[in-house]
C-alpha cells in the first residue's frame, strides 16, 4: 500500500546558498578548459612577469585573437586567476599565480592537473554509459590529455619529493641505489619517475613497464631526449613484467588502477630479491570516507569515478580499489601477495608512500 509522505520543508535561504555555490562550480568546470587554453596558447607565460597588460598587448605578445583574449581575461579575473585594474584596463598575473601556472619545475604547477581533469571530462559520456552496465573503460582508451596531463601533474611532485624525501625514507635503499642495483618501475606511464631515478643513480639499472603501449613509446622518447642509458622501457602488465632478483620495485599512483592488484603483489613478491623493497606511492587518503571529504579527496574521488575505477573494472578480477583506497586496504592487498612487512614511510598532502618487504 502506498504511504503518503510528509512534505519536506525546504529552507529557502539554504537553497539560495546552494544554488550560488553551484554557480561557482559551473565557473570552475569551465575554467578547466580555460586554464588548458591559456596554457596551450601561451597566455599565462606572456602575462608572467609582464606587469599589467591590456587585452591588445597580451594578444600581440601571444599572437592570439584580441577578442578571445579579452573574454578569456575577464573569466580569469572573475575567478581570481588574474587581477584587473579598471583604471588602466589592464590585467596582471600575480607572482604566486605565475609560479602555479607557468613554472613546470614547481611542485605547485597546476596546468597538468587541469589537463587531466579536462581529459577525464571529455571522455565522461563513455563512462556514463559504462556505469549503466558496470563494464570498465581501460586507461589506454582515453584521450591524450589524460596521459599528458597525468605526466605533467605528477612529474613536479616527483621532482620535489622522490629523490630527496621518499627514497631516503626507505630502509637502506639509497645506499644500495648508489652502489648499483636492479630496479623495476611498474605502471610507469610516460616514465617520469623511472627517468628521474635513473638520472639520480647512474650505477643502477632501471626497467620501466606499463601495459599501455602508447605510454611506453612516449617513455622511450623521453629517455632518448634525456640522453640516459641505464633505463629500458617494456610493454608489460604488472602481473607479468619480466626479470627477477630486483632489489627495488616501485609503483607510482597505479596500484589502485589495476584490475588485480593482489596478483600484481604476488608477482612483485616473486620478482624481488630476498632482501628487496617494494615502494608503493598511492594518493593520500584516510581509511574512512568521512576522512576524505575535503578538497583533495574531492578531486581524487572525481578522478577515481572517471578514470581509476573504470580502468580497474576493465581488467581481469576488476577489484576497483579506487583512488581513495586508504592504508588499510592497500595493506590487505600487499600482504595477500605474501609480504610480511608493510609500513607508511612518508607522506605529502597528495601522496602516501608505503614500504613493503618480503
Ligand atoms: C595514473 S597513471 C600513473 C602513471 C605513472 N606511474 C606516473 O606516475 O606518471 C596509471 C598507470 O597505470 C597503468 N596501468 C594500469 N593497469 C595496469 C596494469 N595492470 N599493468 C601495468 N600498468 C597498468 C596505466 O597504463 C597508467 O600508465
Amino acid at each position: 500500500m502506498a504511504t503518503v509522505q510528509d512534505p519536506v520543508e525546504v529552507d529557502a535561504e539554504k537553497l539560495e546558498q546552494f544554488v550560488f555555490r553551484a554557480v561557482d562550480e559551473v565557473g570552475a568546470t569551465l575554467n578547466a578548459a580555460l586554464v588548458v587554453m591559456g596554457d596551450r596558447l601561451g597566455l599565462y607565460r606572456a602575462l608572467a612577469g609582464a606587469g599589467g597588460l591590456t587585452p591588445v598587448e597580451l594578444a600581440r605578445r601571444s599572437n592570439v585573437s584580441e577578442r578571445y583574449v579579452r573574454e578569456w581575461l575577464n573569466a580569469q579575473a572573475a575567478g581570481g586567476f588574474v587581477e584587473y585594474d579598471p583604471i588602466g584596463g589592464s590585467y596582471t598575473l600575480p607572482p604566486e599565480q605565475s609560479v602555479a601556472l607557468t613554472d613546470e619545475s614547481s611542485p605547485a604547477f597546476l596546468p597538468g592537473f587541469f589537463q587531466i581533469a579536462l581529459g577525464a571530462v571529455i571522455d565522461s559520456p563513455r563512462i556514463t554509459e559504462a556505469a549503466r552496465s558496470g563494464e570498465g573503460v581501460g586507461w589506454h582508451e582515453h584521450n591524450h590529455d589524460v596521459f599528458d596531463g597525468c605526466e605533467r601533474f605528477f612529474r613536479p611532485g616527483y621532482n620535489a619529493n622522490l629523490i630527496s624525501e621518499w627514497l631516503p625514507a626507505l630502509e637502506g635503499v639509497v645506499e644500495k641505489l648508489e652502489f648499483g642495483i636492479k630496479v623495476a618501475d611498474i605502471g610507469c606511464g610516460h616514465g617520469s619517475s623511472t627517468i628521474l631515478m635513473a638520472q639520480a643513480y647512474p650505477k643502477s639499472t632501471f626497467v620501466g613497464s606499463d601495459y599501455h603501449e602508447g605510454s611506453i613509446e612516449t617513455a622511450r622518447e623521453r629517455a632518448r631526449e634525456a640522453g640516459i642509458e641505464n633505463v629500458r622501457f617494456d610493454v608489460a602488465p604488472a602481473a607479468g613484467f619480466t626479470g627477477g632478483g630486483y632489489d627495488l620495485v616501485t609503483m607510482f599512483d597505479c596500484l589502485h588502477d589495476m584490475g588485480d592488484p593482489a596478483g600484481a603483489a604476488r608477482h612483485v613478491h616473486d620478482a624481488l630479491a630476498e632482501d628487496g623493497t617494494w615502494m608503493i606511492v598511492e594518493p593520500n587518503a584516510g581509511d574512512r570516507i568521512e576522512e576524505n571529504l575535503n578538497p583533495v579527496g574531492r578531486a581524487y574521488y572525481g578522478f577515481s569515478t572517471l578514470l581509476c575505477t573504470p580502468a580497474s573494472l576493465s581488467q581481469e578480477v576488476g577489484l576497483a580499489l579506487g583512488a581513495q583506497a586508504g592504508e588499510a586496504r592497500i595493506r590487505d592487498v600487499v600482504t595477500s601477495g605474501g609480504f610480511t612487512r608493510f609500513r607508511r614511510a612518508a607522506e605529502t598532502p597528495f601522496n602516501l608512500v608505503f614500504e613493503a618487504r618480503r
Side-chain angles (χ1 to χ4, degrees):
M1 207 172 78
T3 53
V4 180
Q5 287 193 332
D6 288 338
V8 181
E9 220 173 280
V10 172
D11 181 323
E13 204 176 310
K14 283 188 185 163
L15 175 60
E16 189 180 64
Q17 280 168 3
F18 177 70
V19 169
F20 274 100
R21 193 172 79 76
V23 169
D24 199 30
E25 304 262 320
V26 173
T29 308
L30 294 167
N31 200 42
L34 296 175
V35 169
V36 172
M37 183 176 170
D39 175 53
R40 283 211 174 114
L41 294 175
L43 298 173
Y44 293 121
R45 289 187 291 281
L47 280 165
L53 293 181
T54 64
V56 172
E57 288 165 338
L58 179 57
R60 210 173 288 136
R61 285 180 184 221
S62 54
N63 208 18
V64 174
S65 155
E66 186 275 337
R67 187 63 192 90
Y68 279 94
V69 167
R70 190 167 10 125
E71 220 59 17
W72 179 86
L73 277 169
N74 287 334
Q76 295 299 288
F81 277 49
V82 303
E83 283 168 4
Y84 175 57
D85 168 17
I87 314 266
S90 64
Y91 301 77
T92 305
L93 191 66
E96 297 73 24
Q97 274 86 331
S98 291
V99 171
L101 294 164
T102 68
D103 183 357
E104 296 235 10
S105 68
S106 165
F109 182 70
L110 290 172
F113 211 2
F114 282 98
Q115 193 176 347
I116 186 171
L118 181 62
V121 169
I122 286 170
D123 288 341
S124 64
R126 174 89 198 272
I127 305 302
T128 305
E129 284 315 306
R132 290 186 203 282
S133 62
E135 73 190 28
V137 176
W139 181 263
H140 62 283
E141 296 180 71
H142 286 287
N143 68 83
H144 260 273
D145 277 332
V146 170
F147 313 139
D148 295 343
C150 186
E151 177 186 9
R152 294 176 80 210
F153 168 45
F154 287 128
R155 199 201 293 118
Y158 300 157
N159 280 340
N161 298 297
L162 176 52
I163 307 299
S164 60
E165 306 287 337
W166 296 347
L167 289 169
L170 308 175
E171 211 187 310
V173 165
V174 168
E175 291 80 354
K176 290 187 195 171
L177 282 164
E178 280 166 352
F179 179 74
I181 54 171
K182 285 203 310 182
V183 182
D185 186 16
I186 311 303
C188 68
H190 287 186
S192 309
S193 51
T194 335
I195 291 170
L196 193 60
M197 292 189 287
Q199 284 171 323
Y201 303 106
K203 290 189 185 153
S204 290
T205 52
F206 296 80
V207 184
S209 61
D210 196 292
Y211 92 106
H212 179 217
E213 196 171 348
S215 287
I216 287 301
E217 278 164 19
T218 304
R220 287 177 180 146
E221 210 175 296
R222 299 279 188 268
R224 266 196 303 277
E225 284 161 8
I228 43 171
E229 295 192 345
N230 56 332
V231 71
R232 187 185 90 218
F233 287 103
D234 293 344
V235 178
F241 65 91
T242 57
Y246 289 105
D247 301 285
L248 175 65
V249 172
T250 56
M251 283 192 193
F252 294 86
D253 233 298
C254 59
L255 184 66
H256 65 271
D257 291 310
M258 294 172 190
D260 184 11
R266 280 192 296 278
H267 189 62
V268 172
H269 186 269
D270 294 346
L272 270 177
E274 193 55 41
D275 64 345
T277 300
W278 180 18
M279 175 168 82
I280 306 143
V281 177
E282 277 288 298
N284 199 334
D287 291 329
R288 286 171 303 151
I289 292 167
E290 55 271 32
E291 294 173 64
N292 304 323
L293 303 184
N294 52 55
V296 174
R298 186 184 188 197
Y300 276 133
Y301 278 126
F303 284 126
S304 188
T305 309
L306 296 173
L307 299 176
C308 315
T309 300
S312 176
L313 289 173
S314 75
Q315 300 180 16
E316 257 176 57
V317 181
L319 187 66
L321 279 171
Q324 291 287 270
E327 181 167 344
R329 297 200 70 201
I330 301 294
R331 177 193 293 270
D332 284 349
V333 163
V334 169
T335 51
S336 77
F339 288 85
T340 57
R341 286 175 282 169
F342 177 90
R343 72 177 179 102
R344 184 188 296 208
E347 69 184 285
T348 68
F350 288 105
N351 288 110
L352 295 176
V353 181
F354 301 112
E355 177 186 63
R357 308 287 298 270
R358 291 163 57 123

